[in-house]
Amino acid sequence: MKKYVGYLIDLDGTMYRGNEEIDGAKEFIEKLYQENIPYVFVTNNSTKTAEDVAKRLQDIQIRATASQIITSSKAIARYIQSKHPNRKVTCYCIGEAGLKEALRQTGVELTDDINPDYVIVGLDRTITYEKLEGACLAIRNGATFLSTNRDHAIPTEKGMGPGNGAITALISTSTEVEPLFVGKPDSIIMEQAIKALGMTSEQVIMIGDNYHTDIQAGIQANMDTLYVETGVTTREQLLTFNKQPTYTVKTLNEWIPYI
Amino acid sequence: MKKYVGYLIDLDGTMYRGNEEIDGAKEFIEKLYQENIPYVFVTNNSTKTAEDVAKRLQDIQIRATASQIITSSKAIARYIQSKHPNRKVTCYCIGEAGLKEALRQTGVELTDDINPDYVIVGLDRTITYEKLEGACLAIRNGATFLSTNRDHAIPTEKGMGPGNGAITALISTSTEVEPLFVGKPDSIIMEQAIKALGMTSEQVIMIGDNYHTDIQAGIQANMDTLYVETGVTTREQLLTFNKQPTYTVKTLNEWIPYI
């Protein structure tokens, strides 16, 4: 079995499920830590800061620091920074604390002006018509349109609520402009995660429970992939897809001997 | 030239343009009135009541009564009434006063419960995440999904803001359920308008400025159509379309001799 020198790991459905711990997750990360194998967590969630996410993992005894968390917000902020290393850019932003904080940390200027460089859209549960109107106007004025992820629905206390991909669809339908999506399965978040490890895609493996985001992201980034049966995609669903993950396990306990 | 015994007439871009009057509109309607030719106005706008719209026309000396106004809200309410003549139906409604009022007038019960018979979506400039979430949950629970119209964008004070078709796209993207659209160019509003005249589609003509809504609606309802060059679609754009309107005029003054 190939030994991977770096690991990219999904969170929801892979490390935890809502407030539940997932069997094997803690032991798996502990083994990576003991073996000194670098790992980063890759999440489409844009509403929480890397610090919040690290804290959540620490609370369930999973070793993680903020620098090991690549959220779609952090990926978008770093992407913009890499495109404009020498100038301040302005962004009209729809999103929650995690996205705004990530943008501010890389020196992006947040604005309500409808002539910004970028329109950036992430999940915002305080969305208003005025905010959406401003985003549409800014895009019509020529701003570059980025979106944290394509997720159609997110679990809420009541059931499945609209995800960021749905909010983004409102804006792209109105303006007839498609955004560049940053989160899994798209490539920008994966590029930023590999960069954070300082490795190449051949050296690392992508681990996750969701075929459409995690496994697809790995496949599209030319990485080996490990599917774990503890989340969204069932084994039966997995078998219906054309391109299969490199490996499949029931829980991450099964993978510990191969680290 | 064929004489039409009934007229279906668009409003915005045909009778007025924002707060501006349109050349020939008043004289054209006056001629219909003098000749005793029945006419109704057909509008995708769902936010205003028929009474409000009639008042607006009266304010610019265009003869109109509330019963001559078929809004997408009125069409949706009458459609639901016709489907369930003998029972009260419940609707989870996103929309403004015009839509809610039209539904109440036909005896529909508006509810916040997420197990309604219908989810009805119209333009709502006080939209919140919670309202959108409720609509998604109700559709996932099996409610029938109706939407007032497909309009992607609407003119606002600042430019082009999101229209109801964009709000609807958020919900259909999240739920993966497509609604039945009621407004032009779809058929339900046209069926309700013809019913209001008590005529058949062969007897009437549809007049409007917007190829994608007005003229398409007429063509799809097997009506003759009259395009007027006073609104959204330019003459140059018109010529690029495969199916042409039956007649084209610069202003409605040109049509008065044929009434």
Side-chain angles (χ1 to χ4, degrees):
Chain A
M1 190 80 76
K2 180 172 173 183
K3 288 277 180 185
Y4 296 94
V5 298
Y7 278 72
L8 302 185
I9 307 160
D10 171 54
L11 289 174
D12 212 350
T14 304
M15 290 288 112
Y16 47 70
R17 195 168 37 231
N19 291 321
E20 275 176 67
E21 295 181 30
I22 286 182
D23 193 31
K26 186 165 53 180
E27 295 76 10
F28 170 80
I29 297 297
E30 198 57 33
K31 176 76 173 173
L32 289 176
Y33 180 80
Q34 297 302 340
E35 299 289 331
N36 267 315
I37 294 173
Y39 57 96
V40 301
F41 299 99
V42 186
T43 176
N44 277 357
N45 188 319
S46 72
T47 61
K48 293 191 171 56
T49 64
E51 289 72 17
D52 292 339
V53 176
K55 170 102 184 29
R56 182 171 183 190
L57 287 165
Q58 291 157 10
D59 285 347
I60 53 171
Q61 281 80 52
I62 291 176
R63 288 186 192 265
T65 61
S67 64
Q68 286 176 297
I69 314 291
I70 307 292
T71 63
S72 57
S73 294
K74 212 179 196 177
I76 229 168
R78 289 183 177 182
Y79 171 78
I80 290 175
Q81 194 180 33
S82 72
K83 289 275 172 193
H84 311 279
N86 301 315
R87 83 170 173 91
K88 204 170 179 80
V89 301
T90 56
C91 289
Y92 183 101
C93 176
I94 289 180
E96 297 189 12
L99 181 54
K100 290 184 175 165
E101 189 53 34
L103 291 169
R104 278 195 209 99
Q105 280 180 7
T106 52
V108 162
E109 185 187 331
L110 301 181
T111 180
D112 288 331
D113 183 82
I114 57 167
N115 283 291
D117 296 312
Y118 288 89
V119 167
I120 299 185
V121 177
L123 183 68
D124 186 346
R125 286 161 292 188
T126 63
I127 196 75
T128 63
Y129 186 83
E130 287 68 29
K131 279 196 209 177
L132 293 161
E133 181 186 22
C136 290
L137 292 169
I139 292 165
R140 288 176 186 274
N141 287 341
T144 301
F145 181 15
L146 300 181
S147 176
T148 56
N149 64 69
R150 299 177 190 265
D151 300 359
H152 288 176
I154 54 163
T156 69
E157 281 170 23
K158 299 177 200 158
M160 295 303 285
N164 182 61
I167 294 174
T168 302
L170 183 155
I171 299 168
S172 56
T173 298
S174 188
T175 57
E176 297 177 35
V177 174
E178 286 297 318
L180 182 63
F181 286 103
V182 166
K184 299 173 287 183
D186 294 280
S187 63
I188 292 174
I189 198 169
M190 301 303 278
E191 288 159 14
Q192 295 295 335
I194 296 172
K195 214 169 170 179
L197 285 177
M199 297 177 183
T200 65
S201 58
E202 293 75 23
Q203 296 176 290
V204 304
I205 186 166
M206 172 69 200
I207 302 182
D209 65 295
N210 185 323
Y211 182 82
H212 294 292
T213 55
D214 305 318
I215 303 304
Q216 276 289 336
I219 291 170
Q220 289 178 30
N222 291 314
M223 284 173 200
D224 285 354
T225 53
L226 170 60
Y227 157 80
V228 58
E229 207 178 322
T230 49
V232 167
T233 306
T234 65
R235 185 78 72 125
E236 291 68 37
Q237 288 167 339
L238 184 72
L239 293 172
T240 65
F241 301 119
N242 211 355
K243 290 199 173 178
Q244 288 290 302
T246 320
Y247 314 100
T248 66
V249 290
K250 266 193 176 324
T251 76
L252 288 176
N253 282 314
E254 281 182 48
W255 190 257
I256 293 174
Y258 306 113
I259 289 173
Chain B
M1 190 81 74
K2 179 173 173 181
K3 289 274 182 188
Y4 296 93
V5 297
Y7 278 71
L8 302 185
I9 307 161
D10 170 56
L11 289 173
D12 211 350
T14 304
M15 288 289 111
Y16 48 70
R17 195 167 38 230
N19 291 322
E20 276 174 65
E21 294 182 32
I22 287 182
D23 193 31
K26 186 166 52 182
E27 295 76 9
F28 170 80
I29 297 297
E30 198 57 34
K31 176 76 173 171
L32 290 177
Y33 179 81
Q34 298 302 340
E35 299 290 331
N36 267 315
I37 294 174
Y39 56 96
V40 301
F41 299 99
V42 186
T43 176
N44 277 358
N45 189 320
S46 72
T47 61
K48 294 190 171 57
T49 64
E51 288 73 17
D52 292 338
V53 176
K55 169 104 186 25
R56 182 172 181 187
L57 286 165
Q58 291 158 9
D59 286 346
I60 52 172
Q61 282 80 52
I62 291 176
R63 289 186 192 265
T65 62
S67 64
Q68 285 176 297
I69 313 292
I70 307 293
T71 63
S72 56
S73 294
K74 212 180 198 179
I76 227 167
R78 290 183 176 182
Y79 171 78
I80 289 176
Q81 195 181 32
S82 72
K83 288 276 172 191
H84 311 279
N86 300 317
R87 83 171 173 93
K88 201 169 181 81
V89 301
T90 56
C91 290
Y92 182 101
C93 176
I94 288 179
E96 297 188 14
L99 181 54
K100 290 183 175 167
E101 189 54 34
L103 289 169
R104 278 195 210 98
Q105 280 180 7
T106 52
V108 163
E109 184 188 333
L110 301 181
T111 180
D112 289 330
D113 183 83
I114 56 168
N115 284 291
D117 297 310
Y118 288 90
V119 167
I120 299 185
V121 177
L123 183 68
D124 185 347
R125 286 161 292 187
T126 63
I127 196 76
T128 63
Y129 185 84
E130 286 68 29
K131 279 196 211 177
L132 293 161
E133 182 186 20
C136 289
L137 292 169
I139 291 165
R140 287 175 186 275
N141 287 340
T144 300
F145 182 15
L146 301 181
S147 177
T148 55
N149 65 70
R150 297 176 191 265
D151 300 358
H152 288 176
I154 54 161
T156 70
E157 281 170 22
K158 298 177 198 158
M160 296 303 283
N164 182 60
I167 294 174
T168 302
L170 183 154
I171 299 168
S172 56
T173 298
S174 189
T175 57
E176 297 176 33
V177 174
E178 287 297 318
L180 182 64
F181 287 102
V182 167
K184 298 174 286 184
D186 293 280
S187 63
I188 293 174
I189 197 169
M190 301 302 280
E191 288 158 15
Q192 295 296 335
I194 296 171
K195 212 167 169 181
L197 285 176
M199 296 179 183
T200 66
S201 58
E202 293 75 24
Q203 296 175 290
V204 303
I205 185 167
M206 172 70 202
I207 303 183
D209 65 294
N210 185 324
Y211 182 82
H212 294 292
T213 54
D214 306 318
I215 302 305
Q216 275 289 337
I219 290 170
Q220 288 177 32
N222 293 314
M223 287 173 195
D224 285 353
T225 53
L226 170 61
Y227 157 82
V228 58
E229 205 179 323
T230 49
V232 166
T233 305
T234 65
R235 184 78 72 125
E236 291 69 36
Q237 287 166 340
L238 183 72
L239 293 172
T240 66
F241 300 120
N242 210 354
K243 290 198 173 178
Q244 289 290 304
T246 320
Y247 314 100
T248 67
V249 291
K250 266 192 178 322
T251 76
L252 288 176
N253 282 315
E254 281 181 46
W255 191 256
I256 293 174
Y258 306 112
I259 289 172

